Every structure is written in structure tokens, then in C-alpha cells.
Amino acid sequence: MSATDVQNPAGHRDEEAVHAFIERIAMTLASFGFPRMAARVLMTLECAEEDGLTARDLAERLDASPAAISGAVRTLTNMGLIFRDPVRGSRRDIYRLPDDPWYEMAMAKGNIYKLFADLTVDGIDAVGGKQTRAGGRVRELHDFFTFVGSEIEDLFVKWREVKAASRAE
């Protein structure tokens, strides 16, 4: 039994609490530079019982303008955190989450560490080599990105194992 089963044994959905949760997460993500409306849309999709929502659904649930929703879903689609599926026989689209959006985004962005590690090699030379003070700092940056890039693959493997075990419960 999970902690959420203990807190809400009847499975009753508290819409006010859901809304407050979405807003808290969105503000927290925004404090780290994530676009706030995109965070609100993402968390609304995370908390929806439906498999996907239209832009109109999102606008109504978030009391937001269509333009704000449009910009947010464009951001989230570009990040790989949501998918857009056309509704057959309509001009509308349904926005939905991939099976594991955070994992998908991390996998897509995982090569960023290799990219930065590769870029820092040129930086070391540009500042006069690793024997200089600046070169030592850039070399440490290179070592950090190389380390994190190699470790993140292991984390992804572990996450898949944890997720599989959790679903088996």
C-alpha cells in the first residue's frame, strides 16, 4: 500500500487540493527557470484522469487564455514532455504525456553532458591550457560533465528497474 492510499483510502479526488498542488509545483519549477504556464499545463496533464486533454480543456482547467496554452504546449512539445495527437475529423488536437515524460526528457537531454564535456576541451586550450588557473577550472568543469554523463546512463537503468518493480506491486 502506498502513502497516497493511506492518505486517501476512498480514492476521492479533491479538486481544490489538486489545483493547489499544480500551482505549487509550477511555482517551484518556475523558480528553477522552467516556464510557469508550461509547468501548469504539464502538471495538469499529469493529474488528469483522462489520457489526454484538448487546448480548450487545459484553458478551462487553468483559467488561462488560448494563447497562453498554445505557447505552453509548444514549449512542452519541443521539450519532448508531451505529444500532440490530432482528433480524427476535427481541427482539434489532444495533448498527452508519453509513458514516462521525465525519463523521456532526461534521455533526450542526456547527451548535453557529452556536448558540454566536448566543448570544454576547446575552452581549456583557449584559456592557456590546464596548467593555468582558468584552465584548471575549465578542466574541472570538463571532468564534471564527463563524470555526470557517464553516471546518468546508470541512473536511467536503475530508474527502469525501480519503475518496473513499482508497477509490479
Side-chain angles (χ1 to χ4, degrees), residues 3-166:
T4 54
D5 294 333
V6 173
Q7 293 171 357
N8 195 349
H12 174 73
R13 185 176 173 92
D14 181 341
E15 292 299 335
E16 283 186 36
V18 170
H19 179 73
F21 168 71
I22 289 169
E23 294 302 324
R24 277 194 316 272
I25 292 270
M27 288 186 71
T28 302
L29 287 169
S31 73
F32 289 101
F34 199 94
R36 185 167 179 214
M37 183 55 75
R40 292 177 74 209
V41 167
L42 179 63
M43 294 313 299
T44 298
L45 289 168
E46 287 272 0
C47 294
E49 285 296 317
E50 302 87 346
D51 287 334
L53 299 171
T54 65
R56 175 182 277 168
D57 295 333
L58 290 165
E60 287 173 3
R61 290 182 189 201
L62 294 170
D63 192 27
S65 72
I69 298 299
S70 177
V73 297
R74 185 173 34 257
T75 297
L76 293 168
T77 301
N78 289 340
M79 294 175 83
L81 286 171
I82 67 172
F83 295 129
R84 183 176 82 182
D85 295 327
V87 175
R88 190 177 204 180
S90 170
R91 291 178 28 189
R92 294 181 310 151
D93 294 315
I94 294 283
Y95 298 97
R96 65 176 179 81
L97 298 168
D99 288 337
D100 196 344
W102 300 99
Y103 171 82
E104 295 293 333
M105 181 182 71
M107 284 298 290
K109 304 294 185 197
N111 281 342
I112 196 166
Y113 299 107
K114 182 179 180 346
L115 173 65
F116 278 110
D118 292 346
L119 289 171
T120 56
V121 171
D122 293 337
I124 294 167
D125 292 339
V127 297
K130 63 184 175 185
Q131 73 281 0
T132 67
R133 227 172 141 186
R137 287 193 302 268
V138 177
R139 174 59 192 231
E140 188 171 305
L141 189 58
H142 172 270
D143 293 346
F144 172 77
F145 286 126
T146 300
F147 170 77
V148 171
S150 66
E151 292 294 310
I152 202 157
E153 287 301 320
D154 290 338
L155 286 174
F156 291 147
V157 170
K158 288 178 185 176
W159 166 244
R160 287 191 297 269
E161 292 168 357
V162 167
K163 182 179 174 181
S166 177

